[in-house]
Amino acid sequence: MQPKLRANGTTVTEFILLGLVEIPELWPVVFILFLLAYMTTVGGNLSILAAVLVESKLHTPMYFFLGNLSVMDVGCISVTIPSMLVRLLSHKRTIPYGDCLTQLFFFHLLAGVDCFLLTAMAYDRFLAICRPLTYSTRMNHIVQRILVATSWACAFSNALTHTVAISTLDFCGPNVINHFYCDLPQLFQLSCSSTQINELLLFAVGFIMAGTPMALIFISYIHVAAAVLRIRSAEGRKKAFSTCSSHLTVVAIFYGTGIFTYMRLGSIKLSDKDKAIGIFNTVINPMVNPLIYSLRNPDVQAALWRVISGRRPAA
């Protein structure tokens, strides 16, 4: 994908990503920190995936979705951080126009799949707790695959829509992005043509693609909370809530940072705070997800220990 040529012959063919810090002396420190964060994130999420695959106790719909979520988290951080590390090593901060849009597309694709997988996990908890007698038939293997395929289809449509829309804008200078990866808010600010339609599109599609899943998650957990409160046993209530608390924590972090990033366009000038939120979106969220899901789950902890130690699961 190439930028459109303007009548006066001026067009932006590459962008300059300022990165997290502009002081060259701090670049080695940033490189080491984010290299460690990347390795930790990839290692943690692949460990979760391996645990789900090898442990028979985790061959359930909830962990099928969790395994897919781990793959998406590895993808999300791999779209942004490795290229940033390469720029830090090479001291070259430019990114071609086409590469910038490619990064934008894949980031929104993978984050979008994350969004819908979290919704599928909430639906799974609703069926498991509120409809236990029909759970196995309502959440069979075919339904699980349909939910994952639908997540990919919706996320692909969303990412393609925004990428095509941004490619219609003119970029004739300046070309400096005060961020460490390409995203919609930063590109809107650099465009020398009107971005009103693009911003309206972002709000409209965002309302459908994020608002609908949020509403479904909220409704699911309203029913879950009501069902759990009807459980007479305190131990039963504690077990039921513990299966949902990890998921709710991830949902709160994911949607909180997403709303802060995309739902305030045109209201304030983008600043270094957006870099911090970007770190949450691309690094912190994927890195803490394995910790959140394993912290209060003895089955996941046991499976992870067997994966790390190389022990075979008990027959």
Side-chain angles (χ1 to χ4, degrees), residues 68-242:
N68 280 272
L69 189 69
S70 295
V71 174
M72 294 306 103
D73 285 340
V74 171
C76 276
I77 193 171
S78 297
V79 166
T80 56
I81 300 305
S83 59
M84 184 191 80
L85 296 177
V86 169
R87 286 192 296 273
L88 287 172
L89 274 180
S90 63
H91 296 267
K92 183 181 178 182
R93 296 190 289 179
T94 58
I95 180 171
Y97 175 90
D99 291 357
C100 185
L101 265 60
T102 300
Q103 185 181 64
L104 172 77
F105 171 79
F106 280 104
F107 178 73
H108 281 269
L109 171 65
L110 297 170
V113 177
D114 256 6
C115 175
F116 288 102
L117 284 177
L118 291 173
T119 309
M121 293 169 79
Y123 177 61
D124 174 79
R125 291 300 84 202
F126 164 74
L127 291 179
I129 295 173
C130 301
R131 305 289 188 270
L133 297 180
T134 59
Y135 174 68
S136 59
T137 55
R138 291 191 180 190
M139 191 54 77
N140 56 45
H141 291 296
I142 295 176
V143 173
Q144 294 170 41
R145 290 179 175 86
I146 289 175
L147 289 173
V148 172
T150 303
S151 299
W152 274 98
C154 293
F156 178 84
S157 300
N158 175 60
L160 186 63
T161 297
H162 289 306
T163 306
V164 171
I166 203 77
S167 69
T168 64
L169 298 178
D170 293 323
F171 295 94
C172 48
N175 66 337
V176 178
I177 299 176
N178 186 23
H179 215 301
F180 61 97
Y181 65 95
C182 294
D183 205 0
L184 293 172
Q186 290 74 29
L187 291 175
F188 287 168
Q189 281 202 335
L190 293 182
S191 176
C192 52
S193 54
S194 174
T195 61
Q196 184 176 5
I197 295 178
N198 296 75
E199 293 188 19
L200 288 174
L201 180 66
L202 179 59
F203 276 106
V205 175
F207 182 79
I208 297 171
M209 304 292 289
T212 303
M214 282 182 65
L216 293 174
I217 292 172
F218 180 76
I219 293 170
S220 296
Y221 276 107
I222 288 292
H223 287 282
V224 167
V228 170
L229 291 175
R230 288 195 295 268
I231 299 176
R232 295 182 179 181
S233 166
E235 185 65 26
R237 287 197 299 270
K238 181 180 178 182
K239 183 178 180 180
F241 272 125
S242 67

Side-chain angles (χ1 to χ4, degrees), residues 4-74:
K4 297 185 301 179
L5 291 174
R6 293 176 59 83
N8 60 7
T10 62
T11 185
V12 170
T13 59
E14 63 182 16
F15 296 102
I16 298 174
L17 290 166
L18 294 182
L20 290 171
V21 293
E22 298 182 47
I23 304 173
E25 288 77 13
L26 294 178
W27 291 354
V29 177
V30 174
F31 177 86
I32 293 172
L33 288 176
F34 278 83
L35 177 62
L36 291 175
Y38 179 73
M39 294 172 63
T40 301
T41 301
V42 172
N45 281 284
L46 291 183
S47 296
I48 290 286
L49 179 62
V52 171
L53 292 174
V54 303
E55 178 58 63
S56 58
K57 288 183 179 180
L58 303 183
H59 292 172
T60 63
M62 183 67 175
Y63 294 107
F64 171 74
F65 295 129
L66 178 58
N68 280 272
L69 189 69
S70 295
V71 174
M72 294 306 103
D73 285 340
V74 171

